[in-house]
Amino acid sequence: MSYSYLPTTNAYRPARRQSTPPSLVKSVHDALPPWATQGVYSAVRTAKSQLNLYKSKDELKRLGLRTIQTLFTVTNGLIVLWICTLWWGERSVFRDSVDACTWNAWEKWPTNARPHHVAFIADPQLVDPHTYPDRPWPLSTLTVKFTDQYMRRSFSSMQHTLDPDSVLFLGDLFDGGREWSTPTSTSPEERWRKYKDDFWKKEFHRFVKVFLNPWSSQETQSTNSRGRRLIASLPGNHDQGFGSGVQLPVRDRFQNFFGKGNRVDIIGNHTFVSVDSVSLSSMDQPDPQTGSTGAGNGDGERPNQKIWQEPEDFLNAMKLHRGRAEMDELRFLGKPREGRLFKHEVTVPSEPTIYREDDPEIIGFPTILLSHVPLYRKPATPCGPLRERYPPSAEGLEEDEPNALKLSGGYQYQNVLTKTISNDIVSKIGPNLVHVYSGDDHDYCEITHREFSGSPKEITVKSTSWAMGVRKPGFVLTSLWNPIDPTTGASIDSQSPGSTLQNHLCLLPDQLSIFIYYGLILAFTLTVLLLRAVILALRKPEPTTPDPILPLTETPAVRTRARAVSITSSSNYQNNSSIKPGGLASRATNGNPRYTPPVSNDANGYPGFDYIEEADTSKWKASSSDRRRRGNDTLFGRVSGEFTGSVKSVARVALVWYFILVWRW
């Protein structure tokens, strides 16, 4: 605030100043750096100088019309169409698909709830030589490129828009992972034995590039006190084989890179139990060496025991695994750790003393089972209205064969687990099993298992790859909210079983439809440019050929006389001494073997000539540029020229823009 001095009163009084806010132009001017301001001034001066050249309003109107005609052309319009189309197909469609799945659009919790957000990804099955063995190059390479690009864009959009706290993969990370050789094993099929362990490691780096890099580059604040998680250790049949086809070196390689397939994790106050069901399925399959499914081999070892022993031991000790995981979570949340009091005295025990802690008890968090292969269900059990390939035949059907998972199997796969294996898993997991998530089928399926205690619901998650037989891939979002007492682990809210989680299917773009749309735009572009070329060619007047000034033909006599004169007046003579009196230059000097030297003089003493009449076989031939010009003067030539030039103009910009979008994913 400023003050003005009033001499009449010898006092200071505040003076009010009428201040006006700066204009928008001045604000922009003050915000720009000096070099940018000078550039703007220079552009304005140039524009003014150009406009000063046009004094009259008519000239300015003509200038504006010419500018509009230059900018708003059919070719430029198609270029803009392609720029918008490619941006939609390579960017907007992915963002719009994920934007439709935002958490607040479908989850329904109390206003004070802080749920834990989980994303389930199933069956990426990175395309490799095993996927399309008969597809030739470069189609095979383009398939790999576009499938990886599709999944990376989808996963990146999910991370940036939805930002889940945990990402869980449900197996089949690779398509031919079970086939690639290890240092101690080879593929059962001869044609895959050339792919060694190095090839599998390259595929692993592809997986890191497509999924792990976008996940690790996302900076976020997770609602989970343990931070964000990405778990991809659950194996699928394409990762290590199925049942008796599992090779232990292949399984060990997968676990060395991704972690144990059998594990217990506490996520969002829920107990997640991952079971290597593809290995456990070898328990009721025949041994490939003995063909037996019953008694052992004489040494007490049962068929396929080396394959199923690990997941079976894990299930048998489920109480211990669950108890430890849940107690560790409570300790992390603040429950004081119970210690042991030791006496500080020296004793000499007569026998060794072993101190053993009591097995931790299961607290009872809601339990969720993760299995790559779905659990057994009755034949023709319908999968619900969200199944893509075979929608329900009608509502409320108890059995719907087309809409159900087929209970079948084949080489290294089985659509569902057997009833024995399913009962073994569910019975040993323990109480409070509220939900099951599986993969393998590539399409969505949702059922309720009435045959198990608690009637857990199972969701078979869609494949996230557009090359797995579904037009619209997808993933499942799950919102977990289970507030507990950090001391006892008991749920604070009295809720019914299964009400602590909510699910939502998120669909991804139809990549095949995008390619079809590109094809339609291409056909539209070519049609418009062809019509444009025909119209311009018809409007262009036919060229007129003026009469030649000089004759285009000559008579044989004139042609012969001209040749004779050309000999006498040739400038190729080296010197005059080579010309003999009364004769012409020598044949060697002239270098023209087609004529004989003169042999006599005429009556006036001038050299005479012996004319030799030659048949002229030469023809008037147009040059290549002349022929091209004449071809362009025809209607077909004008249409072809206009069409080719306009196609090149549009394609040049569209292809550059497309490669930029593809290069930047």
Side-chain angles (χ1 to χ4, degrees), residues 176-324:
R178 68 192 178 202
E179 306 293 348
W180 317 139
S181 301
T182 68
T184 58
S185 66
T186 58
S187 173
E189 296 191 33
E190 179 67 28
R191 57 177 173 174
W192 307 126
R193 293 178 181 176
K194 62 180 179 180
Y195 296 96
K196 304 301 181 181
D197 188 60
D198 292 340
F199 187 85
W200 188 93
K201 293 178 180 178
K202 292 180 181 178
E203 297 298 290
F204 172 77
H205 288 295
R206 278 181 60 199
F207 181 86
V208 171
K209 184 178 180 182
V210 173
F211 294 105
L212 298 188
N213 287 347
W215 179 82
S216 60
S217 63
Q218 176 72 6
E219 297 180 0
T220 183
Q221 296 294 331
S222 174
T223 59
N224 185 15
S225 56
R226 294 184 179 272
R228 300 169 65 232
R229 293 187 181 184
L230 189 148
I231 302 175
S233 58
L234 186 68
N237 58 304
H238 282 266
D239 297 321
Q240 64 182 31
F242 184 85
S244 58
V246 174
Q247 298 186 70
L248 296 183
V250 174
R251 186 175 71 182
D252 293 341
R253 177 179 60 188
F254 184 86
Q255 293 184 358
N256 289 337
F257 280 83
F258 291 99
K260 291 291 185 180
N262 303 288
R263 57 186 293 162
V264 176
D265 298 278
I266 307 300
I267 301 176
N269 295 336
H270 289 70
T271 302
F272 283 75
V273 180
S274 301
V275 178
D276 180 7
S277 56
V278 293
S279 296
L280 187 64
S281 295
S282 64
M283 182 179 292
D284 56 2
Q285 286 190 351
D287 192 297
Q289 297 179 355
T290 64
S292 173
T293 59
N297 55 9
D299 297 331
E301 182 176 311
R302 294 170 57 188
N304 300 319
Q305 185 170 351
K306 293 181 179 180
I307 300 176
W308 55 258
Q309 187 68 61
E310 182 176 318
E312 180 67 11
D313 291 343
F314 171 76
L315 290 174
N316 291 334
M318 181 56 61
K319 181 179 179 181
L320 177 63
H321 295 306
R322 284 191 57 182
R324 285 179 178 176

Side-chain angles (χ1 to χ4, degrees), residues 407-457:
L407 307 187
S408 61
Y411 172 73
Q412 297 279 23
Y413 82 92
Q414 192 169 289
N415 290 341
V416 297
L417 299 175
T418 62
K419 190 174 183 178
T420 302
I421 298 296
S422 300
N423 290 331
D424 185 49
I425 293 175
V426 174
S427 61
K428 291 180 179 179
I429 281 182
N432 299 329
L433 178 62
V434 297
H435 215 290
V436 181
Y437 293 93
S438 58
D440 186 68
D441 186 64
H442 299 173
D443 203 354
Y444 188 86
C445 182
E446 182 175 349
I447 67 169
T448 300
H449 289 281
R450 305 293 183 187
E451 66 274 19
F452 299 131
S453 175
S455 299
K457 180 183 294 184

Side-chain angles (χ1 to χ4, degrees), residues 548-568:
I549 299 176
L550 297 177
L552 300 180
T553 59
E554 57 183 353
T555 60
V558 174
R559 184 163 56 249
T560 306
R561 185 65 180 176
R563 288 179 179 174
V565 174
S566 66
I567 296 175
T568 60

Side-chain angles (χ1 to χ4, degrees), residues 31-49:
L32 291 176
W35 59 268
T37 306
Q38 294 297 329
V40 173
Y41 286 159
S42 177
V44 171
R45 287 194 298 268
T46 303
K48 287 183 177 180
S49 62

Side-chain angles (χ1 to χ4, degrees), residues 350-642:
S350 58
E351 295 181 0
T353 303
I354 300 177
Y355 292 94
R356 180 178 179 273
E357 294 184 359
D358 295 335
D359 292 339
E361 295 183 0
I362 296 178
I363 296 175
F365 287 162
T367 305
I368 297 173
L369 170 64
L370 305 183
S371 169
H372 175 68
V373 183
L375 297 181
Y376 178 82
R377 71 282 315 274
K378 295 181 179 179
T381 302
C383 287
L386 297 180
R387 190 164 178 81
E388 175 186 320
R389 287 176 293 190
Y390 302 102
S393 304
E395 295 184 3
L397 295 179
E398 292 291 335
E399 294 184 358
D400 191 355
E401 183 66 31
N403 185 246
L405 290 180
K406 294 182 179 180
L407 307 187
S408 61
Y411 172 73
Q412 297 279 23
Y413 82 92
Q414 192 169 289
N415 290 341
V416 297
L417 299 175
T418 62
K419 190 174 183 178
T420 302
I421 298 296
S422 300
N423 290 331
D424 185 49
I425 293 175
V426 174
S427 61
K428 291 180 179 179
I429 281 182
N432 299 329
L433 178 62
V434 297
H435 215 290
V436 181
Y437 293 93
S438 58
D440 186 68
D441 186 64
H442 299 173
D443 203 354
Y444 188 86
C445 182
E446 182 175 349
I447 67 169
T448 300
H449 289 281
R450 305 293 183 187
E451 66 274 19
F452 299 131
S453 175
S455 299
K457 180 183 294 184
E458 179 177 358
I459 290 180
T460 301
V461 182
K462 259 193 170 188
S463 173
T464 191
S465 172
W466 67 280
M468 294 297 116
V470 288
R471 292 286 296 269
K472 287 188 176 182
F475 53 90
V476 168
L477 298 176
T478 300
S479 180
L480 305 174
W481 187 61
N482 180 35
I484 62 172
D485 183 351
T487 302
T488 62
S491 178
I492 297 176
D493 246 14
S494 57
Q495 303 178 30
S496 59
S499 61
T500 59
L501 58 86
Q502 298 174 11
N503 298 297
H504 180 75
L505 172 61
C506 187
L507 295 177
L508 295 173
D510 185 351
Q511 183 64 62
L512 186 59
S513 295
I514 294 175
F515 287 154
I516 294 175
Y517 186 74
Y518 286 170
L520 295 176
I521 295 297
L522 177 61
F524 174 77
T525 301
L526 296 178
T527 303
V528 171
L529 292 180
L530 181 60
L531 293 176
R532 171 185 175 274
V534 171
I535 293 173
L536 293 179
L538 293 176
R539 288 181 178 179
K540 186 177 180 180
E542 292 288 342
T544 57
T545 304
D547 295 334
I549 299 176
L550 297 177
L552 300 180
T553 59
E554 57 183 353
T555 60
V558 174
R559 184 163 56 249
T560 306
R561 185 65 180 176
R563 288 179 179 174
V565 174
S566 66
I567 296 175
T568 60
S569 60
S570 175
S571 60
N572 294 331
Y573 293 160
Q574 295 181 355
N575 49 55
N576 293 332
S577 61
S578 63
I579 304 177
K580 298 179 182 180
L584 296 176
S586 65
R587 185 185 300 267
T589 303
N590 193 23
N592 192 344
R594 303 177 66 183
Y595 303 97
T596 59
V599 296
S600 62
N601 296 335
D602 60 3
N604 298 323
Y606 294 100
F609 298 91
D610 291 336
Y611 295 103
I612 302 175
E613 295 292 337
E614 300 181 61
D616 184 18
T617 59
S618 65
K619 296 182 179 179
W620 292 90
K621 295 183 179 180
S623 63
S624 59
S625 60
D626 292 336
R627 291 194 299 270
R628 192 181 307 111
R629 190 180 304 109
R630 292 177 184 176
N632 292 337
D633 289 340
T634 64
L635 178 60
F636 177 79
R638 294 196 300 273
V639 171
S640 177
E642 290 287 350

